[in-house]
Amino acid sequence: MTILFDKKLTLNEDSTTFIENYINYVRTINPEDLYEGKKDKNILKNKFIFRIHQLANLDSAIVSLNILDKKINVLARIPGFETVVIGSYPLNSHLKKIMSQEVYPTIKITGGRYKKVVPTDFDKDIIKNGFEPYGIILQLHQVENVVYKSRKIDVIYKYVFKSERSLVNVSKILMLCFALFGLALGLGFMFLGFFMTGLMVIVAFFGVNSYTLILSDTYKPKQELNQTQTN
């Protein structure tokens, strides 16, 4: 996932309300996302945590962009709430070039409520609550050509396996190799004096794969099955 743009927005009067509504929404659907699911005692036990914010991301928000002459307005919506403009960014030449490509937006949060580990005079750590001004970061991600990669894999698959029967044959060969490997390995363990270990290996590798091979002989590909039914 390539990030082409990663900048802080200029917030407006609706931004704080949006963030507070989002926090309340997260509290109802998954409270473990707040403070990374850690209670005060967990934060104190982890000596590598000195400050942890209440919220780390805004993944559940539905984000869209409104491109104007001189700026881009960023709109966001929480399920159950109306769409609001949460901030903007100047539309410069660099951003115009990025927007000419296939991109999709996400937003991140900075600041807000946090818990901080503070040492006391009695050589004991305590938790103090604090607050920093909210910030929202807009990220524009390049759209990956997943369809093209899927088609390429599909072409390779069809080239290697000409038919369903060829796939079954390759699977049988692999199962036969595993069965013989398991038999040889199990006998080796038995020869070294580990009888039960060798027996378990033989059952797990040789027994299971042999049984699967026997069952596979009764399998008929769809094409052959259709031809049999037609005749």
Side-chain angles (χ1 to χ4, degrees):
M1 182 173 60
T2 304
I3 300 176
L4 303 177
F5 184 84
D6 187 359
K7 299 290 183 181
K8 229 174 187 181
L9 297 176
T10 301
L11 305 185
N12 61 15
E13 63 275 7
D14 293 326
S15 304
T16 301
T17 303
F18 167 80
I19 293 172
E20 290 175 351
N21 288 336
Y22 186 92
I23 292 172
N24 290 331
Y25 172 74
V26 171
R27 189 177 283 114
T28 58
I29 63 168
N30 190 13
E32 291 297 316
D33 281 349
L34 300 179
Y35 295 109
E36 299 178 12
K38 293 180 174 63
K39 304 295 183 184
D40 286 1
K41 61 179 181 180
N42 302 124
I43 298 173
L44 288 172
K45 284 181 180 179
N46 193 330
K47 298 185 181 297
F48 297 100
I49 297 178
F50 297 100
R51 178 183 293 190
I52 183 169
H53 281 86
Q54 183 182 28
L55 199 63
N57 61 68
L58 298 166
D59 291 345
S60 298
I62 302 167
V63 186
S64 58
L65 304 176
N66 183 18
I67 304 174
L68 304 177
D69 292 336
K70 296 183 179 180
K71 66 178 181 179
I72 288 182
N73 282 337
V74 180
L75 296 82
R77 182 172 69 84
I78 307 167
F81 291 83
E82 293 183 355
T83 301
V84 295
V85 178
I86 58 171
S88 62
Y89 194 86
L91 185 59
N92 52 35
S93 57
H94 175 64
L95 186 52
K96 285 181 180 178
K97 185 177 179 181
I98 292 174
M99 293 300 298
S100 65
Q101 307 176 50
E102 283 191 272
V103 295
Y104 65 92
T106 59
I107 51 177
K108 293 171 59 179
I109 186 174
T110 61
R113 294 179 180 83
Y114 65 85
K115 293 181 181 291
K116 184 178 180 181
V117 179
V118 179
T120 65
D121 296 335
F122 303 100
D123 196 25
K124 182 180 179 181
D125 293 338
I126 61 172
I127 296 289
K128 280 196 173 182
N129 296 307
F131 180 83
E132 294 176 336
Y134 286 118
I136 296 179
I137 296 174
L138 171 66
Q139 291 184 333
L140 297 177
H141 306 262
Q142 186 176 27
V143 176
E144 302 293 342
N145 197 349
V146 179
V147 176
Y148 171 76
K149 292 179 180 178
S150 300
R151 287 178 179 174
K152 192 172 182 180
I153 293 172
D154 190 49
V155 170
I156 295 173
Y157 175 83
K158 289 181 178 179
Y159 177 78
V160 176
F161 303 110
K162 303 294 183 181
S163 64
E164 195 174 350
R165 170 55 66 184
S166 63
L167 176 60
V168 173
N169 291 336
V170 171
S171 301
K172 284 183 176 181
I173 293 171
L174 291 175
M175 283 188 288
L176 179 61
C177 292
F178 277 118
L180 294 176
F181 171 76
L183 180 61
L185 186 63
L187 291 175
F189 276 116
M190 288 181 175
F191 179 76
L192 294 174
F194 301 99
F195 180 81
M196 289 304 299
T197 302
L199 183 62
M200 290 173 64
V201 170
I202 291 174
V203 172
F205 283 86
F206 181 76
V208 172
N209 283 284
S210 298
Y211 179 71
T212 306
L213 281 170
I214 294 171
L215 291 179
S216 66
D217 288 334
T218 62
Y219 171 77
K220 290 186 178 181
K222 293 180 180 178
Q223 293 180 352
E224 294 182 11
L225 186 61
N226 292 334
Q227 290 177 357
T228 304
Q229 292 175 349
T230 304
N231 296 331

